[in-house]
Amino acid sequence: MRSHEITAELVATIGSVAVGVGDRVEPADTLVILESMKMEIPVLAEVTGVVREVAVRAGDAIGEGDVIAVIDTG
């Protein structure tokens, strides 16, 4: 089974998490909302698959390149 990591593109705080382990996602589905510089930035799924891991929780501080979620693409 192949997997796809979704990583952070900027330093931010996790505002909310929209998916859980086992959820099926499609490209453009919102995974989490990042908060940075008073803006809310959605992080979207890039592939179709099933969420294997959510590596963050609301309130977590993340840096560029940190893993947000892993999606199994089958």
Side-chain angles (χ1 to χ4, degrees):
M1 183 170 289
R2 291 184 294 178
S3 60
H4 182 80
E5 287 186 342
I6 306 295
T7 58
E9 295 184 9
L10 67 150
V11 175
T13 300
I14 302 295
S16 62
V17 178
V19 296
V21 173
D23 288 352
R24 182 156 186 80
V25 294
E26 301 287 332
D29 286 352
T30 300
L31 303 175
V32 300
I33 302 291
L34 300 180
E35 295 177 351
S36 181
M37 300 185 328
K38 299 183 181 180
M39 294 174 39
E40 291 188 347
I41 305 150
V43 175
L44 308 177
E46 301 164 352
V47 296
T48 298
V50 176
V51 178
R52 179 178 65 182
E53 176 186 355
V54 178
V56 296
R57 295 180 305 188
D60 285 354
I62 60 169
E64 185 177 339
D66 287 354
V67 174
I68 293 172
V70 179
I71 300 172
D72 284 335
T73 59

